[in-house]
Amino acid sequence: MTLMTTRWIGAFILAANMLAGANSNKSVRIVVPSGASPQQKIGAEAIARALKNQGFTVTDRSASVKIALDVEDSKQAESYEISSTPSQIVVKGSDATGAMYGAFEVAEQIEAGGAKDFPANVRPIKRSPFLEVRGENIFITTQDINDSASSFWSDDYWKIYLDMLAHDRYNLLDIHGPCDAVSLDFPNAFAYFVTLRDFPEIGVGAEQAAKNMARLRWVIQQASDRGIKVAYMNYEASAPIGPWRSRKFGVDERWTPMPQEFLSGERLEQYTRQAVSSFLRDLPNLWMFGFRIGESGQPEDFYKKTYLAALAEAPSSLRIYIRTWVANPQKVRELANSTNHRVYIEPKYNGEQLGLPYQAVQGGREYPPSGSYEDYTNYPRKYSILWQIRAHGTSRVFHWAWPEFARRTVRSCKFGDGVGFSMESMGAYLPGFDFLHHNPKTDHGFYKWEIEREWAWHLIWGRTAYDSDVPEQVFERAFADKFGPDAGPMVFKALVASSKIVPFVYSYHNIGLDHQDFAPEFETGDHAFGSRARLWQGTRLVPYGGNNDDFLRVRPLDRTAMADPASFATDLLQGRSTGKMSPFEAADYLDQAAKESEDAIGRAVGLNPLTPKNFDCIRMDVAAVAELGRYYANRIRSVTHLALYYESQDHADLTAAHEFLSKAAADWDRLSDVTASAFIPPPELLDSHADVFRNVAEFGFRRRRMTKCSDFQFASNKLR
C-alpha cells in the first residue's frame, strides 16, 4: 500500500514542533495510509507526542527516521507487529485498532528508551489480545441524564474516559441501566430514549427522548473512533407511565415512596416489541444489545415474544447478551437457540464482588446458585460466556493497583471457554463527578471526574486483559510518569501492598455474595441482622451460610482453602490438620500487607513526589487501608481466641480475645481519624440496610468512635 502523510498529521506535526523547540538534532516523519482511520490518527498522535517529549522534530518531509502505520487485514483482530531498521519503524495492524495499539506500544518504547538510542531502542514485537472481549461496565444514571451539567452531557468527560479506555486496550463499553443512583431502581431504558406513537403516555416526551438518543448515538460513534464497541443492556421490563420519578442527591430519601404506574399484560408486550425495534433502528452502530431476566419482573418467555421477536428484523451482525442472575438456565439456553444472532451470556464471577481472582463460587455448598456459573459452561451450547465481574461490590473508595491479582483474574476468564469480561469500576453506579473528595479540610481537587482518579485501576485491568504477561515495568513507568522516577516506583509498591487488603477481607470474612451484603471499606463485619442472613433468589429468600449472627460465625468465600475461626478451633483442639489457611495466617497476611504499604509510602514521601495532590490522596488512602487491615486482623484473632475459649474454657484465650478486640477498637479509631480528614461521607447507596448501622452515613467515616456503635458494643459485651 502506498503511504502518504495526511493534512491531519501535518497539522499535528506543526503543533508538536512548536512545542519541541529548535534544538532537536533528529527529525522523524510519521506516515499513515491515505484515508487513515480515526484509530490510526490517534496512534500517530500518540507517537508524535512521545517524540516531542524526547526533543525530536516531527516533519512531513524527508527525515532521518520514518515511522509508518499500516493495516494488513488478518483474522486475529486487534493484533499488531512492530519491525525496525536503523532508519525506519513499521507498525502493521491486523485492523485499524491493532495499528492503534501498535502505535501506543511504539510511543511507550520511545518514552521509556529516551532520545539517546532512538530508533534502536524501539524493539520488534508482535502481540495479539489475550482476551477477545475486554469490557468496562458502567451505568448511565437517571440523575446524569436529567442534569445538563453531568458527565453524560459533557464532551470533556467522554473524551477523557474513552481516550483512557482506548490507551488501556479496552474494546467494549458495556452500558447497563439506566440506574436511579439514589434509589438503585432501574427504570426501563426505552422510556428515556424512545417515543412511540401508539404509546404516548410512556417516557420523557418526544423532544427529550430525541436529545437523549442523539447523545447516546454520539457516544457510540466517539467510542468506535477509538476502537471501542458499545453494548447496551436494558435492566427493566416494566414501562412507566409518565416520566420516571427520579430522586435527587441530598434532597430525596431513598426509601421515600414515589408512586409510579406501569403498563402490564398484552399492552406491555406490544410496547416492548415496538420499543426494541425503534431503539435499534436509531442505533445502527450498536455492537450488542441485551436484557436481564430474573430481576426484570418478567419470565424468560416474555423476552422470546418481545425482544427476540423484534430482533429477528435486526442485522445479523448485532450481538445479543443476557444476564443469568436468578434465571432458569434451561430457558436461557432456549432463548439462545431461538435466534440467529450471536449470543453472549453474562454469568456472575463469584457473585457481586471481586475478593478472589478465580471462580470460587461453583454452586451448592450453601451458595446461591446464580451467584455462580451454574452449568452454563457445559456443552452443547449456542452462546459465548462473557464473565460479569462485579468489582464495585468490593472496591468502592480506596485506590487499587495490583497487577498480579489482575493477571490471575483475566486468565481465569478463559474458564469455560470464556471470551473475556465486563467489569464494573469503582464508580459504576454513581454519577461521573467526584463524589469522594469535598472535605474542605483537605484539597484533593486534582481531578473533576471520578474516572480520572482511578487511572491505575483502568490501566492495570485493560493492559493485563490484552496481554496477561505485560511486563511489570509498564506499570512502574506509568507511576514514574505521575510521581517522578524516584517516588513513582515506591508509590506503586505501596499501592500493590495496600490493594491486597480489601479483597482479602471480603474473601476471608465473607458475609454474602451480593454487593448489598457487605462493603468491607465501610463496615466492621459484625452482624448479618435478620434478613441479612438471607439472599433473594427470584421469588423467595434462601439461607446463606447458616445463621450469620455475628463476626465469629461468618465463613470464608473459598471454604476449600481457608478455615474460618470456629471450624479452625474445633479442628485444632481435636488434632485435625486440614492444610487450609488458618485464621492466624489470615491475620498475619493483613498485617504484613499493611506494614509493606506504609513502609513504601513513607519512603515515597521523602523522594519529592510530583503531582502532590494526587500523591497526598493516595498516601491518605494507604494510611486508611492499613488501619482497616489491622482492624480486621485483630478482629479475626479476637474471635479465633473466643472460639478456642468456647471449646476449651481456657481463660487465657478469653483474655487474648479481649485484648485483640481492644486493639481492633483502636485501629478503627485511627481509621476514622484518617478518613474524616480526607472524605465527606461517600454515598454508599448499594447497602440497602442502612438502618442497622451498616451504612457509612451511620457508621465509620462519620461516626468517629467505634465504641458508640451497637455492633461493636455487642461484641465487646460478650467478652466481659
Side-chain angles (χ1 to χ4, degrees):
M1 180 182 293
T2 301
L3 300 177
M4 60 176 290
T5 54
T6 66
R7 291 182 178 179
W8 178 89
I9 290 294
F12 186 84
I13 287 167
L14 179 61
N17 287 339
M18 292 175 65
L19 292 170
N23 295 325
S24 305
N25 56 14
K26 280 191 177 180
S27 60
V28 181
R29 181 184 177 209
I30 304 174
V31 294
V32 297
S34 174
S37 67
Q39 294 98 304
Q40 288 170 284
K41 294 176 182 179
I42 290 171
E45 180 179 342
I47 293 174
R49 187 164 50 246
L51 290 167
K52 177 262 297 183
N53 290 340
Q54 297 302 321
F56 289 98
T57 298
V58 182
T59 180
D60 58 358
R61 298 181 178 86
S62 178
S64 56
V65 177
K66 181 175 74 173
I67 301 177
L69 306 184
D70 205 355
V71 171
E72 288 188 357
D73 293 336
S74 70
K75 293 182 180 180
Q76 187 68 31
E78 300 170 353
S79 302
Y80 64 86
E81 183 174 3
I82 299 170
S83 58
S84 62
T85 68
S87 61
Q88 178 171 275
I89 298 168
V90 177
V91 178
K92 290 183 179 179
S94 62
D95 51 23
T97 302
M100 180 181 68
Y101 291 164
F104 289 160
E105 174 67 29
V106 169
E108 288 181 15
Q109 290 196 34
I110 291 171
E111 294 277 18
K116 183 178 179 181
D117 297 321
F118 178 81
N121 55 21
V122 177
R123 66 188 185 280
I125 190 172
K126 185 176 182 179
R127 288 289 183 269
S128 294
F130 179 76
L131 292 181
E132 176 187 334
V133 181
R134 308 172 299 281
E136 169 99 330
N137 179 200
I138 65 168
F139 290 78
I140 294 179
T141 69
T142 59
Q143 287 77 15
D144 268 343
I145 295 176
N146 293 338
D147 182 1
S148 60
S150 72
S151 57
F152 180 67
W153 297 102
S154 169
D155 291 359
D156 174 66
Y157 169 83
W158 287 110
K159 177 174 175 21
I160 292 171
Y161 187 27
L162 296 173
D163 282 350
M164 179 174 66
L165 292 182
H167 185 270
D168 295 339
R169 315 313 196 253
Y170 287 87
N171 66 353
L172 174 66
L173 180 63
D174 184 9
I175 302 173
H176 290 193
C179 169
D180 186 321
V182 177
S183 67
L184 273 191
D185 291 321
F186 298 94
N188 193 315
F190 301 138
Y192 278 86
F193 296 103
V194 170
T195 301
L196 298 177
R197 183 181 59 188
D198 294 341
F199 297 88
E201 73 275 26
I202 305 301
V204 295
E207 182 179 357
Q208 188 59 49
K211 289 180 180 178
N212 295 345
M213 177 61 78
R215 187 60 176 177
L216 184 56
R217 193 161 48 242
W218 179 86
V219 170
I220 292 171
Q221 184 59 56
Q222 293 297 310
S224 177
D225 288 347
R226 294 162 172 82
I228 301 168
K229 300 178 284 286
V230 176
Y232 197 103
M233 177 171 284
N234 191 12
Y235 262 33
E236 193 63 37
S238 301
I241 297 174
W244 175 257
R245 299 179 184 274
S246 291
R247 288 165 168 80
K248 296 181 180 179
F249 280 112
V251 176
D252 299 313
E253 293 293 332
R254 177 175 180 182
W255 303 111
T256 302
M258 300 185 79
Q260 183 88 54
E261 294 184 62
F262 298 91
L263 287 182
S264 60
E266 291 186 7
R267 191 158 171 78
L268 174 61
E269 291 182 7
Q270 294 168 1
Y271 169 80
T272 303
R273 279 194 298 272
Q274 291 185 33
V276 171
S277 296
S278 176
F279 187 82
L280 295 178
R281 277 197 306 270
D282 284 344
L283 297 174
N285 293 328
L286 188 68
W287 183 70
M288 186 161 67
F289 178 64
F291 49 88
R292 66 174 186 170
I293 299 170
E295 295 170 286
S296 70
Q298 294 292 334
E300 291 83 356
D301 187 57
F302 171 85
Y303 292 94
K304 187 173 182 178
K305 292 185 292 185
T306 57
Y307 278 72
L308 295 189
L311 282 161
E313 304 172 5
S316 59
S317 57
L318 179 69
R319 274 78 167 171
I320 300 171
Y321 66 138
I322 305 169
R323 283 273 303 277
T324 64
W325 176 240
V326 295
N328 183 311
Q330 182 55 40
K331 291 185 177 181
V332 170
R333 286 188 174 86
E334 291 174 6
L335 289 176
N337 292 333
S338 300
T339 177
N340 291 323
H341 295 267
R342 182 174 178 181
V343 175
Y344 295 78
I345 64 166
E346 286 192 335
K348 293 188 177 181
Y349 190 102
N350 289 337
E352 298 184 350
Q353 47 80 33
L354 184 54
L356 290 173
Y358 57 91
Q359 290 91 341
V361 180
Q362 302 170 15
R365 298 185 302 139
E366 302 175 350
Y367 290 124
S370 62
S372 77
Y373 50 85
E374 301 177 270
D375 63 356
Y376 285 109
T377 56
N378 293 353
Y379 283 93
R381 68 193 196 205
K382 193 185 173 184
Y383 53 79
S384 300
I385 291 177
L386 180 63
W387 292 100
Q388 188 183 47
I389 304 180
R390 306 295 291 272
H392 179 88
T394 309
S395 298
R396 311 188 191 190
V397 175
F398 300 119
H399 280 83
W400 188 97
W402 185 9
E404 194 53 42
F405 185 96
R407 294 182 206 281
R408 187 170 179 188
T409 303
V410 301
R411 289 167 183 158
S412 296
C413 286
K414 290 211 171 181
F415 174 70
D417 293 330
V419 298
F421 64 69
S422 176
M423 180 180 293
E424 291 176 352
S425 61
M426 293 188 188
Y429 292 87
L430 294 163
F433 59 78
D434 170 23
F435 53 81
L436 291 174
H437 297 112
H438 291 293
N439 191 321
K441 299 178 182 177
T442 306
D443 181 8
H444 283 167
F446 60 91
Y447 65 100
K448 177 179 180 180
W449 308 109
E450 193 62 31
I451 53 169
E452 297 176 88
R453 177 179 180 263
E454 306 307 334
W455 61 268
W457 169 281
H458 290 97
L459 173 69
I460 288 171
W461 284 110
R463 294 300 296 272
T464 54
Y466 184 82
D467 177 8
S468 63
D469 295 318
V470 59
E472 200 86 344
Q473 290 84 351
V474 168
F475 309 119
E476 292 173 351
R477 285 199 301 268
F479 275 82
D481 289 343
K482 290 279 186 182
F483 303 107
D486 297 323
M490 284 295 103
V491 179
F492 175 62
K493 183 177 180 181
L495 271 185
V496 168
S498 179
S499 299
K500 297 177 181 179
I501 291 172
V502 172
F504 187 81
V505 168
Y506 204 115
S507 300
Y508 186 78
H509 190 72
N510 184 241
I511 290 177
L513 298 183
D514 193 287
H515 58 189
Q516 297 185 70
D517 289 321
F518 187 34
E521 294 167 319
F522 298 131
E523 303 180 39
T524 61
D526 290 290
H527 276 334
F529 285 86
S531 63
R532 293 306 294 262
R534 301 291 184 266
L535 280 181
W536 182 67
Q537 286 288 285
T539 58
R540 60 195 175 92
L541 292 171
V542 298
Y544 173 74
N547 184 19
N548 290 344
D549 61 352
D550 62 22
F551 199 103
L552 175 59
R553 287 174 168 77
V554 178
R555 301 179 67 188
L557 180 64
D558 187 348
R559 300 161 193 177
T560 67
M562 301 172 178
D564 62 273
S567 62
F568 168 78
T570 301
D571 290 338
L572 180 67
L573 294 175
Q574 294 184 5
R576 289 195 296 264
S577 178
T578 66
K580 298 178 183 179
M581 172 183 274
S582 74
F584 295 120
E585 290 172 323
D588 289 345
Y589 177 90
L590 290 169
D591 272 345
Q592 182 64 25
K595 182 180 184 305
E596 288 179 3
S597 65
E598 286 186 324
D599 288 349
I601 205 68
R603 290 179 62 187
V605 170
L607 295 173
N608 300 317
L610 305 176
T611 57
K613 291 182 181 181
N614 192 350
F615 173 77
D616 191 58
C617 181
I618 291 176
R619 179 190 62 78
M620 296 182 80
D621 274 10
V622 168
V625 176
E627 297 298 349
L628 183 71
R630 277 191 281 266
Y631 162 78
Y632 273 98
N634 285 320
R635 286 303 305 275
I636 291 167
R637 293 184 182 109
S638 175
V639 296
T640 304
H641 280 291
L642 184 61
L644 289 167
Y645 169 73
Y646 286 157
E647 294 280 343
S648 68
Q649 298 299 300
D650 186 337
H651 279 260
D653 280 313
L654 186 61
T655 299
H658 190 273
E659 289 176 351
F660 282 117
L661 189 61
S662 298
K663 290 181 179 180
D667 296 328
W668 194 272
D669 281 347
R670 287 189 292 270
L671 167 64
S672 296
D673 289 338
V674 174
T675 55
S677 65
F679 301 100
I680 59 169
E684 175 39 18
L685 299 165
L686 286 178
D687 194 331
S688 61
H689 292 261
D691 55 322
V692 291
F693 295 100
R694 302 181 62 85
N695 184 280
V696 69
E698 296 296 329
F699 188 79
F701 291 19
R702 181 177 290 176
R703 189 175 295 275
R704 294 295 300 277
R705 288 294 175 260
M706 182 178 178
T707 51
K708 293 181 181 178
C709 178
S710 61
D711 283 8
F712 182 74
Q713 283 298 116
F714 177 83
S716 183
N717 289 338
K718 292 181 70 173
L719 300 185
R720 292 190 176 133

